């Protein structure tokens, strides 16, 4: 299968035009396979999770029943981003599958909403939240190695419980950052190709080759996002992950879930704010450290 | 890109003799099939080797698709009826003259003898970048060559553009919209009927097609209801060469005037937008008003509201204003 559709431009140059739309199905099949394999793995292979004992100084009674996790602003961002992302996926790919509607209009509007919401998120998480809480750290990597060794029956120390975000979430965030920035970066330039009230049209801004590569990068990141979003939704509705999903709706998770999955030393609750919604400025490692 | 004007690419020639057989063949071959009626547009694409179908379904042997059937409900015109037959048909000349007027100024007598009504409403746009084989949006690329500061866009759209600024070139289409015609489409799934204006689609909905037909669809007939029989009709076409040429613009209307006032009207224009355009705002505004010069003036001004001219087609705005004005108030008598 060809990955890219090529055309010959008026100057006789062979240039890329779009991705091959068959890649949509590759992404869907990849996501399906991932879900099936993951579900089988959880059901039949992975045993109960073993963590090292918590050594947190915080007494259990200090931990509120509702542990604040996502501030209202962070939750609003997440759901606005999710709505625009789903709109972008639907408007981009349904027409390629033969469903006819005026997709470009809805697509670029959703693209602008996504861009603004991501811009807000970058500023919010850099200056008002714990920026580093979503990036993998040394303990995450060490624990991942321990977990792998133990899975294969090797001796290794029990991994610690997670900080605010499990390593899988951090990796997911990393990949979606790359794909998201790719569609936004290229999408903003592609708006110069079409008529919008935001930019004046200039289809000659780049050479045919540069434009072609831009369309291809936009498309590749776009189909990547099909798989990423399907997998994200699947994870969000898995029973063992529901408390995390609910925390993105209500802003908190239960004390039991917090103690079961998280290490109070790695995700330190700010005692002063523990009973308040997680909206105030957080120090590194403290509760109000939304980054997704 | 290179345009070869020698022999056509190889394809299988299928020649069904019934609509049922044609729809079966179209269903079997899906997107790989090309329907051929009179061949005037089809052969352009094939000889230039720009479209390369696997099979060609030639409709010329299907008797059911030919001819004009007049009844008390109106007229049914088979998709394979030639433009000359329509132009010369007495019932159409008498009761639906907007259509006979429109098709009688299509191209040249030879083209009208060969060209069919189904082909005329289903023909592709004449934008030369596209027809020259340039890889523009409509051809599956990612750019419009006409909508640029130096693009040759004198013939292009002033309304309804969405990345592609090409216009629909048909002369019969606005007349059929004015007559509230219904297009009958057959496929393996059955028959469906759509209003004339809904047969055409713009680039916002599908940038690679001018009409709603998908793989497997066959336009079998066009039905003109008796509702507008004998109304006051208007058709005017402006072109570069009056001997034969595609329209720079045309306007068609069907109007009923009672006691000097317009009681109902349908009006449409082609070559102004990627799809033939029904002017609903004009219809609403003039209904109930006297059919005179001042209503015409108002209608003309209304018709061009929201027009977006390109670099070289600004002239289309006064042209449209005047044609719409004449549709309502009548053309001034020649001195
Ligand atoms: C030099 C020239 C000048 C012209 N000038 C004018 C003009 O001034 N005004 C004007 O209106 N037209 C003009 N035309 C268009 C012409 O009148 C024909 O109507 C048009 O070219 C196609 O008609 P056709 O019967 O030859 O169809 P074809 O060329 O065989 O088909 C045209 C298209 O319609 C599709 N098609 C045809 N019939 C059906 C059907 N029954 N169901 C589904 N799809 C179908 C075909 O697949 C093809 O895509 C001109 C054409 C030429 C070549
Ligand atoms: C989930 C995110 C996104 C996905 C999946 C996506 C997907 C796509 C796809 C598949 C196309 C067709 C490309 C082609 O023709 O080769 C497209 C076109 C387009 N996208 Fe996106 N996109 C996304 C985000 C964005 C964003 C954020 C913007 C703007 C800021 C944007 C702006 C555009 C524009 C303007 C076009 C039309 C270009 C044209 O037809 O010339 N997209 N998008
Ligand atoms: S106007 Fe339409 S058909 Fe012509 S070059 Fe532009 S995209 Fe292609």
């Amino acid at each position: 299968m060809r990955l890219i559709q090529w055309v010959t431009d008026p100057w006789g140059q062979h240039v890329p035009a779009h991705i091959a739309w068959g890649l949509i199905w590759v992404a869907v099949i990849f996501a399906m396979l991932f879900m099936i394999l993951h579900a089988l793995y959880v059901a039949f292979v992975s045993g109960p999770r073993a963590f090292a004992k918590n050594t947190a100084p915080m007494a259990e009674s200090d931990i509120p029943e509702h542990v604040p996790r996502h501030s209202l602003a962070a939750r609003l961002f997440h759901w606005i981003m999710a709505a625009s992302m789903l709109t972008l996926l639907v408007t981009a790919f349904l027409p390629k599958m033969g469903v006819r509607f005026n997709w470009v209009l809805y697509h670029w509007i959703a693209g602008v909403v996504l861009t603004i919401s991501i811009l807000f998120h970058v500023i919010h998480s850099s200056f008002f939240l714990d920026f580093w809480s979503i990036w993998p750290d040394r303990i995450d990597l060490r624990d991942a190695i321990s977990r792998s060794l133990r899975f294969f029956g090797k001796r290794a120390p029990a991994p610690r419980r997670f900080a605010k975000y499990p390593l899988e979430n951090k990796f997911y965030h990393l990949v979606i950052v790359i794909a998201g920035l790719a569609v936004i970066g290229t999408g903003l330039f592609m708006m110069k190709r079409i008529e919008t009230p935001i930019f004046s049209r200039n289809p000659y801004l780049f050479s045919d080759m540069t434009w072609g590569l831009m369309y291809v990068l936009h498309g590749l990141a776009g189909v990547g996002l099909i798989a990423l979003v399907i997998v994200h939704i699947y994870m969000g509705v898995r029973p063992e992950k529901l408390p995390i999903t609910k925390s993105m709706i209500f802003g908190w998770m239960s004390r039991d879930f917090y103690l079961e999955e998280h290490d109070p030393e790695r995700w330190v609750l700010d005692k002063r704010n523990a009973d308040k919604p997680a909206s105030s400025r957080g120090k590194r490692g403290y509760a109000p450290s939304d980054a997704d | 890109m290179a345009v070869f004007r020698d022999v056509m690419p190889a394809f299988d020639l299928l020649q069904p003799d019934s609509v049922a057989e044609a729809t079966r063949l179209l269903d079997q071959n899906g997107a790989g099939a090309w329907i051929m009626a009179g061949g005037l547009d089809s052969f352009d694409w094939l000889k230039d080797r720009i479209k390369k179908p696997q099979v060609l379904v030639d409709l010329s042997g299907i008797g059911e698709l030919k001819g004009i059937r007049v009844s008390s409900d109106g007229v049914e015109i088979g998709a394979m009826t030639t433009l000359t037959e329509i132009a010369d048909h007495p019932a159409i000349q008498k009761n639906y003259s907007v259509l006979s007027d429109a098709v009688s100024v299509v191209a040249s007598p030879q083209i009208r003898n060969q060209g069919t009504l189904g082909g005329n409403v289903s023909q592709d746009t004449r934008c030369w970048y596209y027809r020259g084989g340039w890889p523009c949006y409509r051809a599956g690329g990612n750019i419009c060559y006409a909508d640029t500061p130096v693009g040759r866009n004198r013939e292009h759209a002033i309304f309804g553009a969405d990345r592609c600024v090409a216009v629909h070139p048909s002369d019969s289409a606005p007349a059929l919209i004015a007559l509230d015609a219904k297009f009958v489409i057959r496929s393996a799934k059955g028959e469906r009927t759509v209003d004339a204006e809904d047969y055409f689609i713009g680039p916002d909905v599908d940038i690679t097609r001018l009409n709603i037909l998908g793989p497997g669809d066959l336009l079998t007939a066009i039905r003109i209801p008796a509702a507008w029989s004998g109304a006051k009709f208007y058709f005017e076409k402006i072109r570069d060469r009056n001997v034969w040429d595609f329209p720079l613009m045309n306007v068609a209307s069907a109007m009923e005037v009672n006691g000097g006032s317009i009681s109902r009207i349908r009006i449409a224009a082609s070559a102004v937008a990627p799809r033939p355009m029904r002017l609903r705002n004009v219809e609403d505004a003039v209904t109930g008003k006297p059919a005179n010069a001042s209503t015409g003036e108002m209608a003309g001004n209304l018709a061009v509201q929201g027009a977006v001219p390109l670099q070289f087609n600004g002239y289309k705005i006064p042209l449209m204003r005047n044609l719409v004005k004449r549709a309502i108030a009548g053309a001034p008598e020649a001195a």
Side-chain angles (χ1 to χ4, degrees), chain A residues 5 7-12 16-18 95 99-105 190 193-195 201 203-204 208 211-212 215, chain B residues 1 133-135 137 139-145 147-151 162-163 201 203-206 209 211-214:
Chain A
Q5 297 181 47
V7 295
T8 308
D9 77 4
W11 296 272
H18 312 279
V99 182
R100 290 165 168 177
F101 61 99
N102 56 340
W103 66 276
V104 176
L105 174 69
M190 283 156 75
R193 283 285 240 218
I194 63 167
E195 202 69 59
R201 241 181 108 253
Y204 288 159
D208 285 352
W211 275 122
Y215 275 74
Chain B
M1 246 302 287
W134 290 36
Y137 275 123
N142 60 30
I143 186 172
C144 172
Y145 296 101
D147 189 9
T148 63
V150 291
D162 188 318
R163 297 169 293 152
I201 51 176
D204 51 343
V205 175
D206 188 342
R209 297 201 57 86
N211 58 56
I212 57 167
L213 298 182

Side-chain angles (χ1 to χ4, degrees), chain A residues 17-19 21 84-86 88-89 92-93 96 103-104 107-108 110-112 114-115 180 183-194 196 215-216 218-219 221-223 225-226 229, chain B residues 137 141-143 163:
Chain A
H18 312 279
I19 57 162
W21 301 121
S84 59
M85 181 68 85
L86 288 177
L88 283 160
L89 287 171
F93 295 118
K96 311 294 177 286
W103 66 276
V104 176
H107 189 79
W108 75 254
V112 171
L114 180 75
T115 308
V183 283
I184 289 176
T186 50
L188 286 176
F189 281 117
M190 283 156 75
M191 284 181 64
K192 292 289 279 181
R193 283 285 240 218
I194 63 167
T196 69
Y215 275 74
V216 166
H218 194 81
V223 288
L225 283 163
I226 297 180
V229 168
Chain B
Y137 275 123
N142 60 30
I143 186 172
R163 297 169 293 152

Side-chain angles (χ1 to χ4, degrees), chain B residues 125 127 129-130 136-138 143-146 156 163-166:
Chain B
T125 181
C127 171
Y129 296 104
Y130 171 55
C136 68
Y137 275 123
R138 192 167 284 284
I143 186 172
C144 172
Y145 296 101
H156 288 68
R163 297 169 293 152
C164 172
V165 294

Side-chain angles (χ1 to χ4, degrees), chain B residues 26 33-45 57 59 65 79-81 83 102-103 105-108 111-112 114-124 126 131 169-173 199 209 211 213 217-221 237 239 244-247 250:
Chain B
L26 290 171
W34 181 278
I35 296 174
M36 190 178 79
L40 293 161
D41 197 8
S42 298
F43 281 125
D44 259 11
W45 290 117
V57 180
L59 304 181
L65 291 178
M80 284 297 287
T81 311
L83 301 176
V103 295
V105 288
V106 166
S108 64
I111 289 172
R112 293 196 292 274
Q114 177 69 15
T116 64
L117 187 61
N120 191 263
V121 292
S122 311
Q123 63 179 308
D124 214 334
R126 303 304 300 186
R131 295 193 85 96
S170 169
D171 280 318
S172 65
Y199 182 72
R209 297 201 57 86
N211 58 56
L213 298 182
D217 283 339
L218 177 72
L219 176 68
T220 56
K237 167 180 177 175
R239 49 190 155 171
W244 64 265
D245 218 334
F246 282 94
N250 59 34

Side-chain angles (χ1 to χ4, degrees), chain A residues 45-65:
Chain A
V45 183
S46 78
R49 290 205 286 182
F51 288 115
K53 255 182 95 63
N54 272 342
T55 53
M58 211 177 215
E60 239 178 71
S61 57
D62 285 344
I63 299 167
E65 206 177 315

